[in-house]
Amino acid sequence: MSEKTSICVYCGSSLGASPAYHEAARQLGEELARRDIGLVYGGASVGLMGAVADAVLESGGRAVGVIPHALATKEIAHRGLDELFVVESMHERKARMAELSAGFIALPGGWGTLEELFESMTWAQLGFHTKPCGLLNVNDFYAHLEAFLEHQFEQQFVKTEFREMILMEDQPGALLDRFAGYHAPKVKKWIGPEET
């Protein structure tokens, strides 16, 4: 990834049950700043979202938030960011985050985190982008999801060639190393038999 690259991080607006989640968010933020990779995220000051942004800023990095007006007015918007885009809808939020980013990482989080990640993965599958999508598997948080994804491959609802589009590591540095060397797989068709 080149200088001035930014990575979109999806994560919870809660800190979660384990202190390991907060620590992983901080480590990811510090690692992004160390590598001169900017952060793009949901713009909140709370939970893992606030933790990763604070770590980036405290480490001298750049953090950009994108938040819908309805959430910003509830005073959860982070006021110390380098840039904060206030948009009208969740759809606009996701589109702007994708536009500003060279890849997507999911820390632990809830339904919104999964929805955002799976939309990015679906766009990759359809060939709308060639950016890496990754899961930071803190304390095996995503182990059951990994097993379910394998089940989808086995049941032929997702082509096995797309397995390479999902990067998973338990350490931020290892995941970012894989992002740096990522090349999207070339698949002729996103579903059905390949042409011969």
Side-chain angles (χ1 to χ4, degrees):
M1 286 176 289
S2 63
E3 198 173 316
K4 306 301 181 190
T5 293
S6 291
I7 295 294
C8 180
V9 176
Y10 305 128
C11 57
S13 57
S14 167
L15 288 173
S18 171
Y21 304 143
H22 182 264
E23 180 58 26
R26 290 201 57 81
Q27 287 177 4
L28 177 58
E30 291 167 359
E31 190 66 17
L32 288 170
R34 189 183 73 77
R35 295 179 187 227
D36 197 25
I37 299 172
L39 168 70
V40 174
Y41 83 115
S45 60
V46 296
L48 297 186
M49 295 173 75
V52 69
D54 288 343
V56 166
L57 295 167
E58 290 165 11
S59 301
R62 177 173 169 77
V64 174
V66 185
I67 193 166
H69 185 265
L71 296 180
T73 56
K74 292 180 180 176
E75 300 184 343
I76 63 168
H78 198 303
R79 299 301 176 189
L81 302 174
D82 293 287
E83 197 165 6
L84 179 67
F85 295 98
V86 180
V87 296
E88 291 304 313
S89 69
M90 293 293 283
H91 293 292
E92 189 179 349
R93 178 197 221 179
K94 291 184 293 182
R96 178 66 64 89
M97 290 166 74
E99 175 188 315
L100 295 171
S101 304
F104 310 92
I105 291 176
L107 279 162
W111 293 343
T113 299
L114 290 177
E115 187 270 334
E116 290 168 328
L117 177 71
F118 274 97
E119 184 168 73
S120 297
M121 287 166 51
T122 302
W123 291 347
Q125 179 190 39
L126 296 173
F128 296 165
H129 71 74
T130 57
K131 303 171 185 179
C133 299
L135 296 154
L136 194 57
N137 191 28
V138 183
N139 278 7
D140 277 338
F141 182 82
Y142 285 116
H144 294 291
L145 178 60
E146 182 180 28
F148 179 70
L149 294 173
E150 285 300 319
H151 182 63
Q152 289 184 308
F153 295 132
E154 290 166 6
Q155 296 304 310
Q156 300 178 12
F157 284 102
V158 182
K159 294 174 77 69
T160 56
E161 291 89 339
F162 292 117
R163 185 183 279 114
E164 299 172 41
M165 291 181 174
I166 308 163
L167 309 178
M168 186 182 301
E169 295 289 343
D170 60 7
Q171 296 297 321
L175 186 56
L176 290 173
D177 286 346
R178 291 187 66 191
F179 269 45
Y182 179 76
H183 297 285
K186 291 181 172 61
V187 181
K188 291 179 186 175
K189 295 173 68 176
W190 69 274
I191 196 164
E194 291 291 340
E195 297 173 359
T196 55

